[in-house]
Amino acid sequence: MAQRKQHDAFNFILPKTKFNAEEALRILLESDNKGSFESEEEFSSSSESNYTESDSDSDIEAHEQQAHLNVDCNEMSSAGVAQTNKRKKVENMQYSWSNDEILGCCANYEFTGTPGVHPDITTFEPHQLFEFFVTDEICDYIVEQTNLYALQSLKEKQLKPKSKFKMRTPVTRDEIRIYIGLILYRGINWKPTYELYHKTNVIYATPVVRKVIKYDRFRLIDTFFYFVDNSNLEESDLKCAKIKPIHDYLFTLFRKVYVPQRNIAIDESLLLWKGRLSWK
């Protein structure tokens, strides 16, 4: 019974911190309870064994966390050494470039094209070069779609008695060529509005334009100039669907006219237009 009381008193006095034998003996002697140990050595061995048996859960958890921390530090140290060695190895590497390595990605494909322009357009007259790209085929397609769009648009409108749209007649292949030619001509001889090209004033006069087409006719063609049938378009079509037929035609034609060399480099910085266009 006396031993049990001494044991309880010892557990009550001893904090949850590990002490050495001298500190534990001093705490015990300063307490009101008297111990039954005969010597300091007996107390030392007893207190150490008692503490070992009565370690709290928090102490055990602390020891485990410390062990995990030591393992993590060792792993980080090993990873750092490996990373340093890898960086040194990369810095010491020597590169020797060759054409075989650069062209290795396309070495399995046979280049059968004949580079250059086909046919030789260096001898073409300006009108021949224009007709080479603005062919009868594409002009007839634009004529068909322009006349169709004009009928669809005017059918939904209630025209005034003196409306200029009532004077509209179906556009022809030659008129489409003239219209495209004047658009290109405006890039050389630029004026703020199309109307100025048809003025008779000597300051603005452009006689050649007045000779080939009247202003009212030019405006009618410009209003209904179209590339696709709207009735065949769906909401799911791409935003560029209205110009896709012309785009595909020109894309195919350009590939026929010019064949690049086998090894080419494309500099996108040459495209100076920086506007916002979702499908560009």
Side-chain angles (χ1 to χ4, degrees):
M1 189 69 177
Q3 292 181 356
R4 182 178 180 182
K5 290 181 178 180
Q6 292 173 359
H7 182 72
D8 294 340
F10 176 74
N11 288 335
F12 176 78
I13 296 171
L14 186 63
K16 293 182 179 180
T17 307
K18 189 173 182 180
F19 296 97
N20 56 30
E22 290 78 11
E23 292 175 345
L25 179 60
R26 178 178 55 79
I27 294 173
L28 184 60
L29 293 177
E30 290 176 356
S31 65
D32 295 336
N33 298 315
K34 295 182 181 181
S36 59
F37 298 102
E38 296 180 357
S39 63
E40 183 177 347
E41 289 79 6
E42 183 180 356
F43 173 78
S44 178
S45 60
S46 175
S47 63
E48 290 177 359
S49 61
N50 188 24
Y51 177 81
T52 304
E53 294 174 358
S54 60
D55 276 344
S56 63
D57 294 339
S58 60
D59 294 335
I60 296 174
E61 184 178 354
H63 288 304
E64 292 177 351
Q65 292 178 355
Q66 183 64 31
H68 287 300
L69 180 60
N70 293 336
V71 173
D72 294 340
C73 290
N74 292 334
E75 292 179 353
M76 292 177 62
S77 178
S78 301
V81 173
Q83 186 69 19
T84 302
N85 294 336
K86 183 178 181 180
R87 184 170 60 254
K88 291 181 179 180
K89 183 178 179 180
V90 172
E91 292 175 353
N92 295 331
M93 291 179 65
Q94 299 293 332
Y95 293 97
S96 178
W97 301 104
S98 66
N99 290 334
D100 294 337
E101 294 177 355
I102 297 174
L103 303 177
C105 60
C106 34
N108 297 329
Y109 299 93
E110 184 179 358
F111 182 74
T112 59
T114 304
V117 180
H118 309 283
D120 184 10
I121 61 176
T122 57
T123 59
F124 280 18
E125 295 292 334
H127 72 278
Q128 292 177 317
L129 186 61
F130 175 80
E131 293 176 352
F132 182 80
F133 290 98
V134 186
T135 61
D136 291 344
E137 178 185 0
I138 194 61
C139 285
D140 291 342
Y141 176 80
I142 296 175
V143 166
E144 178 184 356
Q145 298 302 325
T146 299
N147 291 329
L148 178 61
Y149 178 67
L151 293 175
Q152 293 173 344
S153 300
L154 297 178
K155 184 178 180 180
E156 300 174 357
K157 294 181 180 181
Q158 293 183 356
L159 303 178
K160 296 180 180 180
K162 295 184 179 181
S163 175
K164 293 183 179 180
F165 290 142
K166 288 189 174 182
M167 299 183 298
R168 190 201 70 85
T169 57
V171 70
T172 63
R173 179 195 299 174
D174 291 338
E175 288 178 326
I176 289 296
R177 276 202 171 97
I178 291 173
Y179 174 81
I180 297 175
L182 290 179
I183 297 298
L184 297 176
Y185 176 70
R186 193 186 186 196
I188 301 173
N189 184 11
W190 185 85
K191 296 180 182 180
T193 63
Y194 290 112
E195 187 178 5
L196 292 177
Y197 290 92
H198 294 81
K199 292 290 185 179
T200 58
N201 189 305
V202 294
I203 299 177
Y204 306 108
T206 313
V208 64
V209 176
R210 296 202 313 271
K211 289 181 179 180
V212 295
I213 192 170
K214 294 182 179 181
Y215 175 72
D216 291 341
R217 184 61 177 172
F218 178 86
R219 293 301 299 174
L220 282 173
I221 298 174
D222 185 66
T223 301
F224 300 111
F225 192 74
Y226 225 68
F227 297 140
V228 68
D229 184 3
N230 285 334
S231 61
N232 294 332
L233 295 179
E234 299 179 0
E235 294 182 359
S236 59
D237 290 337
L238 298 175
K239 293 183 178 180
C240 58
K242 291 189 176 184
I243 63 171
K244 192 174 187 303
I246 303 300
H247 172 273
D248 293 344
Y249 169 79
L250 293 176
F251 183 79
T252 303
L253 182 61
F254 291 155
R255 293 185 65 179
K256 292 180 180 179
V257 172
Y258 177 72
V259 179
Q261 301 288 335
R262 175 177 179 177
N263 304 320
I264 61 175
I266 300 175
D267 186 0
E268 295 181 359
S269 64
L270 295 177
L271 303 178
L272 301 180
W273 186 75
K274 302 298 181 182
R276 293 185 177 182
L277 190 61
S278 61
W279 50 270
K280 67 178 180 180

